[in-house]
Amino acid sequence: MSEPTEVLFEVTRAHLDTGLRGIPVGTVRTSSVDPYSGLHYVGYPVSEIWQVGPEAAVYLLLNKELPDEGQLAEFKADLVRRARGFDTRALEMLKHLPKEGHPMEWLIAGLNYMGMTTKTGDYREDGLNVVARLPQLVAGIFRVRSGWGEPIDSQPELGLMENFVHMLGVPGGDADKLTQMMRVFYTLHLDHGGGNLSTFSGKAVASGLADMYASLGASMAGLYGPRHGRANQDCLNFLRSVPSSDPDEVEQFVRDQLANNGLIYGFGHAVLRSEDPRATIQYGLGAEICPDDELYKTAMAMRERAVKVLRENPKVSNPYPNVDAISGTLLQAVGLADSDFYTVLFGLSRCSGIAAQIIDERLNFRNGKGVAIYRCKFISDQQPKRG
Ligand code: MLT
């Protein structure tokens, strides 16, 4: 532990209006992001720890240690019990929401509804309930909004993602591959340090002692923005606009795009300075589940050629793929073709990590007193006026 008086960062005028980029504002125990080796959950590199699967990864974020067999079984049983407490009136409420609303707006409405009907006011209880129950809400959002039919009854004993895929009931989908994909997707998207916009917003709102559901609703509003979580939707749509999977043609497309001041979606990251290990894992998964998919081939060609072209520009600090460069491709290959829903899948996972961080900030930090209400300072550039 460092000395309380240790100077961590000198803030200069140049740091203002840059979105607090890189400025330390708190501590985090669930995860950290190294620019080169990427995401770590409680110190374990995600490139290794993702194999433990969804429930053990959530347990790790909550308890800061991996569960043994008995602890994992107990945790899973607890999630099953909590899932059974889902108030299905939330699914009825979804049927009254306007279809013009984005699925993320539905998720935010659903979280607030769950808060109104089932919150306990205890951050840990509510956080665990969200982990256990959100799959049912999100599956309901897919089914009601896509017109796939009535919500499907939950079977939580199947496991978090297994039950989610069961409740989705994707028409014509390959449930085994979708489950394999969702287990990886969920585990990889749980947490990404403390300073990303959705996590920061949720913790800030919780610091005013708003309940867990309202705080996560605020987080999800942050995630909804196209510069944050909605980038995965834009990324798939971008990839679909690449006319061919031939590497030379892909390279030409990237060059043309840059010449016209267009964006190369899925490349670069605020913190990372090498290929995002979450992308690396998913490129590998694609080789298993959809090696012949045309879009997967395009994504692989982009991985090679977009990096090559972007590296030619010394001003590009990170020319490497991030998690969004490939996740949408795999989701559509396993039957989830509507990219409007991708950010909701991101949110389904990220709510668990943010809940773990909120529990830490509210109940564990400062010897249990919790972090103080967020109150930063904005420097006024107005001269004092009279009269
Ligand atoms: C991510 O998962 O990459 C993020 O939430 C974005 C970030 O870390 O800024």
Side-chain angles (χ1 to χ4, degrees):
M1 193 58 172
S2 56
E3 287 300 313
T5 52
E6 185 191 355
V7 177
L8 295 172
F9 202 87
E10 303 262 16
V11 177
T12 65
R13 281 217 164 255
H15 289 115
L16 305 182
D17 300 332
T18 57
L20 294 170
R21 188 66 60 97
I23 299 176
V25 293
T27 54
V28 57
R29 290 184 189 155
T30 53
S31 69
S32 56
V33 184
D34 177 84
Y36 298 96
S37 56
L39 175 61
H40 292 65
Y41 288 160
V42 193
Y44 295 98
V46 78
S47 51
E48 292 165 22
I49 205 67
W50 70 278
Q51 315 253 19
V52 299
E55 288 89 348
V58 174
Y59 182 99
L60 173 64
L61 297 184
L62 287 165
N63 298 291
K64 318 299 180 277
E65 60 177 21
L66 281 167
D68 62 25
E69 228 175 278
Q71 287 165 326
L72 184 58
E74 214 174 285
F75 183 59
K76 286 183 175 176
D78 184 44
L79 292 180
V80 170
R81 185 181 60 73
R82 291 176 186 278
R84 296 213 166 99
F86 178 77
D87 184 338
T88 53
R89 285 180 300 168
L91 302 177
E92 288 307 311
M93 184 275 299
L94 295 179
K95 295 179 186 167
H96 300 283
L97 291 179
K99 293 268 189 334
E100 302 90 298
H102 188 275
M104 281 302 281
E105 296 179 283
W106 284 42
L107 175 63
I108 295 162
L111 274 165
N112 281 317
Y113 189 94
M114 286 167 74
M116 285 183 252
T117 53
T118 47
K119 71 169 162 290
T120 67
D122 177 302
Y123 287 106
R124 190 172 167 81
E125 273 300 298
D126 287 341
L128 284 162
N129 285 341
V130 168
V131 172
R133 296 172 186 169
L134 208 52
Q136 192 162 0
L137 179 81
V138 172
I141 292 175
F142 268 84
R143 290 194 65 75
V144 173
R145 206 170 167 288
S146 310
W148 289 350
E150 282 297 307
I152 295 174
D153 286 344
S154 172
Q155 289 182 23
E157 61 288 349
L158 293 176
L160 266 185
M161 284 303 103
E162 291 76 359
N163 186 32
F164 176 61
V165 172
H166 152 75
M167 289 185 289
L168 276 179
V170 181
D174 178 333
D176 287 343
K177 281 189 177 168
L178 185 49
T179 305
Q180 189 183 359
M181 172 59 195
M182 279 313 304
R183 283 179 57 83
V184 176
F185 183 96
Y186 182 89
T187 307
L188 294 182
H189 284 81
L190 282 168
D191 211 38
H192 209 246
N196 63 78
L197 178 66
S198 49
T199 307
F200 180 83
S201 314
K203 293 190 295 188
V205 171
S207 78
L209 301 189
D211 63 81
M212 180 62 90
Y213 293 88
S215 305
L216 291 176
S219 287
M220 292 302 102
L223 197 70
Y224 175 38
R227 292 265 170 93
H228 191 14
R230 198 155 24 120
N232 59 8
Q233 156 177 351
D234 294 340
C235 195
L236 183 71
N237 297 334
F238 168 75
L239 216 49
R240 282 175 175 153
S241 75
V242 182
S244 147
S245 63
D246 175 77
D248 291 337
E249 289 180 37
V250 167
E251 181 173 329
Q252 193 53 50
F253 173 85
V254 173
R255 291 191 187 282
D256 292 346
Q257 189 77 5
L258 291 173
N260 293 319
N261 293 323
L263 291 174
I264 307 298
Y265 289 84
F267 290 76
H269 191 278
V271 183
L272 295 170
R273 293 294 172 265
S274 57
E275 181 170 290
D276 187 337
R278 299 170 300 173
T280 312
I281 293 162
Q282 292 185 90
Y283 285 125
L285 180 64
E288 255 181 70
I289 62 175
C290 56
D292 301 322
D293 182 88
E294 229 4 69
L295 209 60
Y296 176 68
K297 289 187 196 159
T298 308
M300 291 305 281
M302 285 289 287
R303 181 191 195 188
E304 186 199 327
R305 298 302 177 95
V307 173
K308 176 182 165 208
V309 175
L310 290 168
R311 281 176 75 163
E312 291 168 6
N313 181 350
K315 287 200 192 126
V316 177
S317 51
N318 176 15
Y320 301 104
N322 61 50
V323 69
D324 298 326
I326 178 68
S327 55
T329 300
L330 302 192
L331 288 169
Q332 68 107 43
V334 293
L336 295 178
D338 187 347
S339 61
D340 276 8
F341 287 93
Y342 291 177
T343 315
V344 172
L345 296 174
F346 187 168
L348 166 64
S349 164
R350 188 56 62 90
C351 274
S352 300
I354 298 175
Q357 292 203 32
I358 289 177
I359 292 168
D360 280 341
E361 285 215 352
R362 301 286 24 105
L363 304 179
N364 299 331
F365 287 3
R366 287 212 302 171
N367 297 322
K369 272 195 299 187
V371 170
I373 185 169
Y374 283 29
R375 186 28 175 124
C376 46
K377 177 176 170 125
F378 282 68
I379 296 174
S380 168
D381 61 2
Q382 299 296 309
Q383 295 303 319
K385 295 185 182 70
R386 286 250 168 82

